[in-house]
Amino acid sequence: MRLGPLEQAHPDDPHIHLMVGRLAANGRDWKTAEARFRRAVDLDPKLPEAWFALGVLAHQEGRLEEALDHYEKAVALAPRHRQYLTNLAGLCLDQGDYQAALAG
């Protein structure tokens, strides 16, 4: 079964919104991607992948405080996930907060 039929059958599945958001981001449709990631966290606030995806979008758009908030939520939900930790540390470096970047 492909994504379209899955979405029709399960319109409130946060993982489907996450996947559609990833497809939109890959196509550089940032507005749709962000809307889908936000819908995913509305449906499941404990979905770290969606918080991380929102953080990546905010980070690339220069909305650093918002990105920090999203990355921190992702890390809180998945504290050992290397990519989440790496992006959070990188954002701290971008902000010049070297102590936070080194903190564990």
Side-chain angles (χ1 to χ4, degrees):
M1 185 177 272
R2 302 292 171 131
L3 198 50
L6 275 173
E7 185 174 20
Q8 288 177 351
H10 307 282
D12 292 329
D13 184 321
H15 293 92
I16 293 171
H17 286 278
L18 180 63
M19 286 186 282
V20 173
R22 288 174 54 199
L23 284 171
N26 285 338
R28 299 184 181 268
D29 181 355
W30 311 122
K31 185 176 179 179
T32 298
E34 184 168 2
R36 290 304 189 121
F37 297 148
R38 288 192 184 283
R39 180 68 177 138
V41 297
D42 287 344
L43 291 167
D44 184 357
K46 293 185 178 187
L47 186 61
E49 299 97 324
W51 288 113
F52 178 74
L54 285 169
V56 169
L57 288 179
H59 196 169
Q60 74 187 23
E61 292 177 358
R63 295 178 284 141
L64 301 185
E65 289 301 317
E66 186 178 340
L68 179 65
D69 181 56
H70 296 321
Y71 286 156
E72 286 177 339
K73 286 177 182 171
V75 167
L77 293 166
R80 295 179 185 215
H81 193 287
R82 188 178 322 151
Q83 187 175 15
Y84 301 168
L85 292 166
T86 301
N87 278 49
L88 178 57
L91 177 60
C92 291
L93 287 174
D94 290 348
Q95 292 180 311
D97 190 347
Y98 306 117
Q99 292 297 345
L102 290 171

